[in-house]
Amino acid sequence: SSSSWRATLCSFNVGLRGLKNLCERRADATSACADQHGVRRALGYGSLDAFLRALGDVDVVCVQETKLTKLDVASVGRVEDAWDSAHSVCDAKGKDSYAGVAIYWRTSRLRPVAIEEGVCGSRRGRVDDKTASRLVFAVGEDAPFAHDFARQKELDSEGRALWVDFGTFVLCTVYVPAVFGDATMDEKVAERALFKADFLSALATRYQALIKRGRHVVLCGDWNIAPCAQRDRAGVPSSVPTSVNPSREWLHEQLDSHLTDVFRAAHPHVNHAFTCWNVASGAQLNNYGSRIDYFLMNDAFVKYVRAVGVAQSHHGSDHAPVFCSFSRDAWPMFDASQPTPALACSMLYPGRQSKVDEIFSLASGNGREPDYLAAPLRAKASASSVKAPAKRKAPPEKSIRDFFAVKNPNPPLEVSPITTQTPSTKQSPASTAKKATDQHAMSAEDARSAWSNTFAKMAPPKCRGHNEPCKIRTVKQKDNPNFGRVFFCCPRPAGPRTNRECDCGFFKWRDSRKI
């Protein structure tokens, strides 16, 4: 019936592996060996079609951290006419396969009116009378940083925002920049913090302009902002005052004046609704994460929401997909005669859908509803139970001895016990050979001892809480000032410090040790 009918939006950050790796057809794309915490998770879906179908019977999928290039987007195209999409990719210098967002919609149910990239409008290109009517924002509207085109280009260069006008509402998916480190102590961190502040300021200018025109606005994605420092982040006691966070203050200003956090409005008393975890530390095993993925919308549009939730057990990333369903009254009527916007992949790369099968292996869908409709939030997220396929016999791995062994066609010398001899002015050939043999034995022993000492120094230390060998990790966030540095940390899964079975908090940089 029309009263029970609803349409669903999904938002999913796939930055752990990127969209291309999740959808690529590879021999090892469906399973992985268990990690050091015993977790076995799927590496991918084998096709773009399977990736979308795994999210259930959804109508629109917003993806963050796609990590695609323009060439990747051209290769992917559409999915057998079932879906069309729009992408905003990063073209910042030196940042290939970085950030990026996308929106996919079912072509049998939706036809967008307009598509636009960025928060400043610097990617519009040349605007004429024909293209002006296909823009989300009016040409005469005040653009953020209108008198600083260089800053506009910089804020739009990383592909962090994409707007799609569906007629009854405008949907925007965002990937808000993250800031790592202390901005008061590091110049690069301070620059990145200013970039984030300017991005959020521009975003606010854009969505508020739409609301002033009477438009409904839905914003979703990875905000990299926990709305409540204590409630939406694990391990932060409510009794401990939190430090001032400019990004969180910005969010609270929006919530106080224009927007609603839909999940919190629907579930005011639900805790542990985390959407992101540090999977390298095993934090998902104890649901020790943060809620930074969510839907925001103008207050007048909230009445059309029918369900909202998070699928914490969905695999494929260090984020969980979040869902929001609307009633029919909020959904645009499908109009096949509506022209497709120029930025849609079907217009940019016509005919690419016929080549999808050559790139991806298509999988059959099950037509099920999203996970959040079938299961409530859990206080503890369980590890994925994906079974590994039968392994083929592989050649034995080489040991370190194989790399340092000297290949000699002659049989090795037999080493005899060292004996003392009376010095003589003349030595026989036998004694000369014996001396060479003894020197070879001592040389080999010295080499073994030297390598043993070296590896002992390189071995990770033991954590203080459990006296267990630490695990070795590397800082992988490109925006982090410590990018590439190696460190040691407790091998236990992250969790509350009050739990003895969890991470004890030990941490040490490797380059601070003398080797």
Side-chain angles (χ1 to χ4, degrees):
S1 64
S2 60
S3 60
S4 61
W5 185 94
R6 59 187 176 186
T8 304
L9 305 182
C10 172
S11 178
F12 192 13
N13 180 306
V14 297
L16 185 66
R17 297 186 180 91
L19 188 60
K20 183 178 180 180
N21 289 333
L22 279 178
C23 301
E24 194 172 24
R25 181 170 58 187
R26 300 179 303 174
D28 60 343
T30 56
S31 65
C33 298
D35 63 16
Q36 55 193 327
H37 301 294
V39 178
R40 187 187 302 276
R41 62 177 64 87
L43 285 177
Y45 294 88
S47 73
L48 179 60
D49 183 52
F51 167 77
L52 294 170
R53 288 174 182 263
L55 294 169
D57 188 18
V58 297
D59 300 271
V60 180
V61 178
C62 299
V63 188
Q64 302 84 44
E65 271 199 283
T66 58
K67 299 182 178 180
L68 299 178
T69 64
K70 290 183 178 180
L71 182 61
D72 294 330
V73 175
S75 299
V76 173
R78 294 185 290 171
V79 187
E80 294 294 318
D81 287 325
W83 297 81
D84 203 350
S85 63
H87 293 255
S88 183
V89 301
C90 176
D91 61 7
K93 186 177 180 180
K95 292 185 176 181
D96 295 334
S97 301
Y98 175 73
V101 293
I103 297 179
Y104 286 83
W105 61 89
R106 289 187 185 272
T107 55
S108 61
R109 303 179 188 178
L110 289 168
R111 186 67 61 87
V113 177
I115 301 172
E116 193 161 342
E117 293 183 70
V119 291
C120 295
S122 66
R123 290 190 170 189
R124 284 181 171 180
R126 184 177 179 180
V127 179
D128 53 27
D129 294 339
K130 183 178 180 180
T131 58
S133 61
R134 312 299 296 163
L135 297 175
V136 175
F137 301 99
V139 176
E141 275 179 340
D142 291 335
F145 301 95
H147 303 292
D148 190 350
F149 185 68
R151 189 57 167 173
Q152 285 184 327
K153 289 193 64 177
E154 188 177 7
L155 293 173
D156 288 343
S157 66
E158 295 183 359
R160 291 182 175 272
L162 184 64
W163 308 77
V164 176
D165 187 345
F166 284 112
T168 56
F169 68 93
V170 176
L171 174 64
C172 175
T173 186
V174 296
Y175 174 42
V176 176
V179 177
F180 303 96
D182 188 348
T184 63
M185 302 294 292
D186 190 295
E187 184 178 350
K188 290 185 177 180
V189 176
E191 291 177 359
R192 200 60 184 169
L194 181 59
F195 182 93
K196 182 175 184 178
D198 287 350
F199 179 89
L200 292 174
S201 174
L203 178 66
T205 300
R206 283 307 205 189
Y207 88 76
Q208 289 174 19
L210 291 172
I211 294 177
K212 288 179 181 178
R213 282 201 271 132
R215 301 302 309 275
H216 292 305
V217 179
V218 178
L219 308 168
C220 68
D222 176 3
W223 294 87
N224 272 312
I225 309 171
C228 178
Q230 292 89 358
R231 195 174 190 183
D232 295 317
R233 293 170 60 202
V236 181
S238 58
S239 58
V240 178
T242 57
S243 58
V244 176
N245 185 305
S247 299
R248 189 171 295 113
E249 289 185 343
W250 174 91
L251 177 60
H252 290 170
E253 289 178 4
Q254 314 312 310
L255 296 176
D256 291 339
S257 56
H258 299 94
L259 303 176
T260 297
D261 178 351
V262 186
F263 180 88
R264 191 51 68 199
H267 305 288
H269 305 297
V270 173
N271 295 318
H272 310 291
F274 303 134
T275 64
C276 179
W277 305 266
N278 186 332
V279 296
S281 68
Q284 78 280 12
L285 297 176
N286 298 303
N287 194 20
Y288 196 77
S290 58
R291 188 173 76 91
I292 59 176
D293 305 84
Y294 40 86
F295 288 88
L296 304 178
M297 63 185 66
N298 62 300
D299 300 336
F301 203 58
V302 177
K303 63 182 180 181
Y304 297 110
V305 174
R306 292 294 173 265
V308 60
V310 51
Q312 290 182 325
S313 62
H314 196 88
H315 56 77
S317 183
D318 52 351
H319 291 250
V322 292
F323 299 86
C324 186
S325 294
F326 299 89
S327 64
R328 178 183 287 275
D329 296 336
W331 210 244
M333 296 297 294
F334 178 73
D335 183 2
S337 64
Q338 172 68 45
T340 302
L343 288 182
C345 278
S346 59
M347 300 297 290
L348 291 173
Y349 312 107
R352 288 286 182 177
Q353 67 273 20
S354 63
K355 298 182 180 180
V356 169
D357 195 36
E358 301 173 7
I359 305 170
F360 299 117
S361 59
L362 298 178
S364 59
N366 51 21
R368 62 174 177 79
E369 290 188 320
D371 291 346
Y372 80 91
L373 297 176
L377 286 169
R378 292 161 295 169
K380 183 176 180 180
S382 60
S384 176
S385 57
V386 178
K387 294 183 179 180
K391 294 183 178 179
R392 293 178 296 179
K393 291 185 178 180
E397 294 184 358
K398 290 187 177 182
S399 67
I400 196 166
R401 292 183 178 180
D402 297 321
F403 291 98
F404 290 97
V406 178
K407 297 181 179 180
N408 190 340
N410 300 321
L413 296 172
E414 293 184 3
V415 181
S416 305
I418 300 175
T419 57
T420 58
Q421 294 182 354
T422 302
S424 59
T425 57
K426 187 176 182 180
Q427 297 181 357
S428 64
S431 63
T432 302
K434 182 66 168 60
K435 183 177 180 180
T437 302
D438 293 344
Q439 289 177 347
H440 177 83
M442 288 187 291
S443 176
E445 183 63 31
D446 291 342
R448 282 192 293 269
S449 177
W451 278 112
S452 297
N453 292 336
T454 299
F455 285 123
K457 292 178 181 179
M458 293 175 63
K462 294 184 178 180
C463 68
R464 296 190 180 95
H466 308 99
N467 197 33
E468 297 175 354
C470 289
K471 58 185 174 183
I472 305 174
R473 294 180 56 194
T474 305
V475 180
K476 296 183 178 180
Q477 296 93 345
K478 293 183 179 179
D479 292 336
N480 196 313
N482 291 307
F483 174 69
R485 290 186 71 184
V486 178
F487 61 92
F488 304 106
C489 59
C490 177
R492 299 288 184 94
R497 297 291 164 79
T498 55
N499 186 343
R500 171 71 180 172
E501 299 302 318
C502 295
D503 180 3
C504 67
F506 179 84
F507 176 90
K508 190 177 183 68
W509 292 110
R510 188 183 69 176
D511 52 20
S512 65
R513 307 175 74 219
K514 295 181 179 180
I515 297 180

